[in-house]
Every structure is written in structure tokens, then in C-alpha cells.
Amino acid sequence: MRDVPTTATRDIAPSDRALDHVARFRTFLDTEVAPLEAELHTAGAGTPANPKLDDRGRMHPLVWEARREVQRRSAKAGLYNPHIPAELGGGGFGRVEMQHVEEFVYRESGLGLGLAALAWTEGANPAITHVSDAARGRYLDPLLAGEVTTAFANTEREVGTDVLAMGTRARRDGSDWILDGTKAWITNAHFADFVQVVAVTDPGAGTRSLSMFLVDADAEGFHRGRDIPTMLGDGLTGELHLDGVRVPAENVVGEVGDGFSLAMTWINWRRMCRGGMCAGWGQWLLQRATERARTRESGGRPIGDLQAVQHLLADMDADVFAARSSSLVGQAELDALGPFDIPAHRDLPRIVSLIKIVNDEAFFRVTDRAVQIHGGTGLLLGSPEEKLFRIARNLRIPAGTVEIQRNAIARGLLRP
Ligand SMILES: Cc1cc2nc3c(=O)[nH]c(=O)nc-3n(C[C@H](O)[C@H](O)[C@H](O)COP(=O)(O)OP(=O)(O)OC[C@H]3O[C@@H](n4cnc5c(N)ncnc54)[C@H](O)[C@@H]3O)c2cc1C
């Protein structure tokens, strides 16, 4: 037996402040989120995971408002922004700390309102931390306070993976910029108060051809487009149209030409977050499957007595264990490299892609087995197993498909 933990064990353990965050989050779920969930339950608007949609296919306004209220309360309780640097008003947590926090939030919230209490794609993110001093008070500070939400608009109808081929253009007009184009598949397109738009500013300049702009949703020429209904059924994904939208120079994030790096910073952040998300949801599904195996009977005995079912449980456990552990090691390596440095460390893309692919693929198998153990009940529309199976299938595409992750891993391996 070892008296002293190995360096690796110390590196991936939760810090005291991460444990404190999680403890406060537990109280927050019980005292602030549970009453809102109970209210929503009686409102007839559906649930956070299975919201009713309005006549345009968008998330029911009551469900959206309940999520927003959770975000405002979370910000007030100091729980909303642990991932943002402390000097900007966040918690300054590293990636290992964040995986522990995210794992807890997903495991304990399941598919409930508590998921909204951490700033995900509609909240503050590592790309917007590069906002100009002039624009900080107008955009970043209200975002951190949960007063407004944002969206990240990179993808277009004709261009997903091949980011540098995008059609949205920004041209100078005096010191302002004029933006034209259409963005598609944008999460929170229907509700965002402002949008982080990536557009071409220097055609043909490769990875320096793009810039990121903060665009107000009430700006002249900015229009919300149709909902894009996906298998998630959440009424959150849609199109955005920019028709000669004027944006002041101070709304450029970082420097002109930084757009590709900033977009990758945002996308890499979502990839890293798969570690905590899949560990948390995976543990939740495993708990539910184990309970089902103990209580559901076949032939007068619990199905958990059957080796066929035991092996399904064991395989779920193995996938959750492997993905969780390897992701924590990956997050520790990212913390050492600087997870959001611009320019990114040359070893970073491979590790980020390893975290995404390991989790996307393991979690898909976990949800598949969870459905199987629940039998017909696992196929019930809107049940946690059925919904998470759909989410797991989805995860293999956004924030870069699993094929693109393989490309990045191989590039890292083959680099001279
Ligand atoms: C629910 C949801 C939410 C989303 N939210 C956002 C958002 O908030 N903001 C945003 O900007 N985008 C968002 N997206 C878009 C998402 O990032 C893209 O769908 C994703 O990057 C894939 O692009 P694509 O759909 O155009 O697929 P394509 O690029 O058309 O890819 C099709 C297939 O070809 C493969 N392929 C393409 N190029 C290569 C290559 N070079 N090497 C190997 N294989 C390749 C892909 O792996 C895939 O299997 C969202 C998408 C979904 C489904």
C-alpha cells in the first residue's frame, strides 16, 4: 500500500474549492431549483428535457423562463461561472476542477432544471473573455450576471466542418464593420440577446481570414430565422440572418483575424466538457439501471440475477470508468498546457479530441445498454433512457464530428 499518492492521483483529485463549489451546488439544487421545478411541473409547458414547443417549434416560453431564472439565481449564488478567469469575475477553475463540478451537476441534475445553473453555450465562455475593454461592461458583465444570454454562430447551411469555407462576410465601413450572411444550426438562436458571430474579414488568408464579432439581436438587419428541429426536440436550434448589420470596432473579439483561433477555443471548450457531462450522466444511468435490475423480475427472480443483464451493467460500468478516468488525466494535461491559450499549444488538439471521442463513443454505448436493461420502459418517449440515447447520438456530431476528432488525433501522432 502506498502512503503518498502518485503525482497523477494528486493531479486529478478535486481541489478544496471544487468540493466547496459542489457542496454549495447541492444546497442550491434543493433550495432554489427544486421549487422552480415543482412550479414548472404544474404549468403544463412540459419539462426542461421534454419541453412543449410553441407554434414556431421553439422551446415553450415558460420552460425557457424557468431556465433563465435558474441562471440568474445561480449567478447570484456565485455558481454560474467557475470556469471563467477570476480577474474577469469568474471562479478561475482549471479543467480538472471543472470536470469534477460538471460531473456533479450532470449526475445530480439528471435531465432537470439544475443543468441550466452552469453557463453552457448560452453563457460566458472562454472565447468571449477576449472582449475589448470598451465592450466588456455591455456584454461580458451582464452575461456573467445571468442577465442576458448569448449564442455562438459559426456553422452555415452549406458549411459545417469546413469552417474556413464559410460565406458570412464582414467589410469595413469607416471604423465600423458591416456583416452579411446566414448562420444555421445555432443553439439558442431563438432567445440569445447577442451573438458571437464568426465571419470572413480577409478572404484567402487561411486561419487568419476570420474574425469574431459581438452582434446585438436587436440590431437593424439582424433576424432570427426558422427553428431547425432535431432529434433533441428542445426547440433551441435555429437560423440567424445578418443583412447589412452594422457593428462597431469595439465589438470585435480579440484582434481582427483571430476568429478562427477564437472559434476553436469555443469549440475545444465544448469538447473538453464532454468529460464531466458523460461521467455525470453515465453514473446516473448506471444507478438507474442497477436499481431496475434489482427490482424488475422475470421468472420470479430479479433480472439482476441473470448473467446477461449483469454483463450489460458491467459493460456500462467499464465504459463510464474508462471515459471518466482518462478524461481526468486529459484535463490535467490540458491544465498543464494552458487549455485556452491563443495560440494553442501544439499538443493540445490531440488531447482535446481524445477526450471528445472517448466520451462520445463510450456514452453512446452506455445509453444503448441502459435502454436495453429497461426493456420496453427504456423506449418510452421522454423517459430518461430514451432521451439520453437521443442526446448521446447527437453528441457525436456537434462541436466537431468524431471523424474530425480522429483527424486531429492522427495529425498529432504523425507530426514530425
Ligand atoms: C443540435 C446541434 C447544435 C448545434 N449547435 C451549434 C452552435 O451553437 N453553433 C454552431 O456554430 N454550430 C452548431 N452546430 C453545428 C455543428 O457544429 C455541425 O453540425 C458539425 O460541426 C458538423 O457539420 P455538418 O453538420 O455541416 O456536417 P458535414 O461537415 O457536412 O459532415 C458530414 C459528414 O462528413 C464528414 N466529414 C466532413 N469533412 C470531413 C473531413 N475533412 N474529414 C473526415 N470526415 C469529414 C463528417 O465527419 C460527417 O460524418 C450544431 C449542430 C447540432 C446538430
Side-chain angles (χ1 to χ4, degrees):
M1 202 164 95
R2 280 192 307 260
D3 294 332
V4 183
T6 64
T7 308
T9 309
R10 275 202 312 271
D11 286 348
I12 63 174
S15 63
D16 288 344
R17 65 180 182 174
L19 291 172
D20 172 66
H21 190 95
V22 158
R24 288 191 294 120
F25 206 98
R26 172 74 269 160
T27 309
F28 180 78
L29 285 178
D30 296 339
T31 58
E32 301 281 348
V33 177
L36 288 172
E37 249 169 2
E39 251 175 60
L40 191 59
H41 188 68
T42 55
T47 64
N50 298 293
K52 289 193 175 161
L53 305 179
D54 71 10
D55 52 6
R56 289 180 298 175
R58 303 171 184 198
M59 177 180 274
H60 195 291
L62 286 178
V63 180
W64 176 251
E65 183 42 41
R67 287 168 52 122
R68 295 288 298 115
E69 182 57 22
V70 167
Q71 290 167 345
R72 286 188 288 266
R73 292 184 186 190
S74 175
K76 209 167 160 201
L79 296 170
Y80 195 45
N81 304 294
H83 60 306
I84 296 298
E87 59 273 22
L88 294 176
F93 283 20
R95 283 306 313 157
V96 169
E97 291 173 305
M98 282 311 301
Q99 176 163 329
H100 287 294
V101 169
E102 287 156 358
E103 178 181 321
F104 179 86
V105 172
Y106 277 90
R107 190 183 63 229
E108 298 304 313
S109 304
L111 287 166
L113 264 184
L115 293 179
L118 264 189
W120 304 116
T121 63
E122 67 262 45
N125 53 77
I128 200 178
T129 60
H130 296 269
V131 67
S132 70
D133 289 342
R136 182 176 158 185
R138 187 166 153 79
Y139 296 99
L140 180 58
D141 293 343
L143 200 56
L144 292 169
E147 289 163 7
V148 296
T149 66
T150 187
F152 168 67
N154 187 53
T155 306
E156 302 177 355
R157 274 187 223 135
E158 305 302 328
V159 178
T161 304
D162 193 8
V163 173
L164 292 175
M166 72 171 55
T168 301
R169 292 281 186 273
R171 62 186 159 82
R172 280 188 198 272
D173 184 38
S175 65
D176 293 347
W177 291 86
I178 308 292
L179 271 64
D180 285 286
T182 293
K183 295 292 182 179
W185 300 97
I186 307 307
T187 305
N188 199 25
H190 310 318
F191 303 105
D193 297 287
F194 74 92
V195 180
Q196 293 169 245
V197 177
V198 185
V200 178
T201 43
D202 191 359
T207 54
R208 296 296 300 167
S209 62
L210 309 179
S211 301
M212 182 183 276
F213 300 87
L214 303 180
V215 181
D216 287 301
D218 60 5
E220 204 179 323
F222 182 98
H223 308 286
R224 300 185 204 271
R226 68 180 180 107
D227 179 72
I228 303 178
T230 71
M231 67 199 295
L232 297 181
D234 55 11
L236 277 180
T237 311
E239 287 187 352
L240 296 172
H241 304 285
L242 300 130
D243 187 9
V245 179
R246 180 175 292 275
V247 176
E250 68 192 41
N251 284 23
V252 174
V253 184
E255 302 293 328
V256 174
D258 283 351
F260 182 76
S261 298
L262 288 163
M264 286 316 301
T265 298
W266 190 98
I267 291 166
N268 281 339
W269 168 61
R270 299 314 307 152
R271 292 173 179 173
M272 296 170 199
C273 290
R274 292 289 203 269
M277 171 193 286
C278 296
W281 270 340
Q283 288 167 37
W284 188 51
L285 284 175
L286 186 55
Q287 283 164 9
R288 289 176 54 86
T290 308
E291 189 53 27
R292 180 80 180 171
R294 284 201 187 101
T295 52
R296 176 74 174 176
E297 294 201 346
S298 174
R301 289 162 54 204
I303 59 170
D305 282 1
L306 304 168
Q307 194 184 48
V309 174
Q310 290 170 2
H311 284 191
L312 287 171
L313 287 172
D315 286 343
M316 285 175 75
D317 198 16
D319 264 330
V320 173
F321 182 80
R324 176 181 186 271
S325 323
S326 58
S327 299
L328 278 169
V329 171
Q331 312 281 12
E333 291 186 22
L334 293 175
D335 279 339
L337 295 179
F340 304 116
D341 285 358
I342 294 180
H345 191 284
R346 62 207 290 266
D347 295 336
L348 180 131
R350 178 180 147 264
I351 300 168
V352 171
S353 292
L354 282 169
I355 292 176
K356 183 171 195 283
I357 199 169
V358 164
N359 281 285
D360 285 0
E361 297 189 346
F363 188 59
F364 183 69
R365 292 189 296 269
V366 168
T367 59
D368 185 43
R369 290 181 177 123
V371 169
Q372 197 66 16
I373 289 172
H374 279 77
T377 316
L379 296 173
L380 267 180
L381 284 182
S383 70
E385 283 68 27
E386 183 270 346
K387 172 79 194 208
L388 282 169
F389 180 72
R390 279 187 280 135
I391 290 177
R393 184 61 193 86
N394 169 82
L395 288 180
R396 287 157 56 195
I397 292 178
T401 64
V402 285
E403 290 76 25
I404 289 304
Q405 309 314 312
R406 287 187 164 84
N407 290 358
I409 294 164
R411 259 200 313 277
L413 291 173
L414 292 168
R415 203 181 48 215

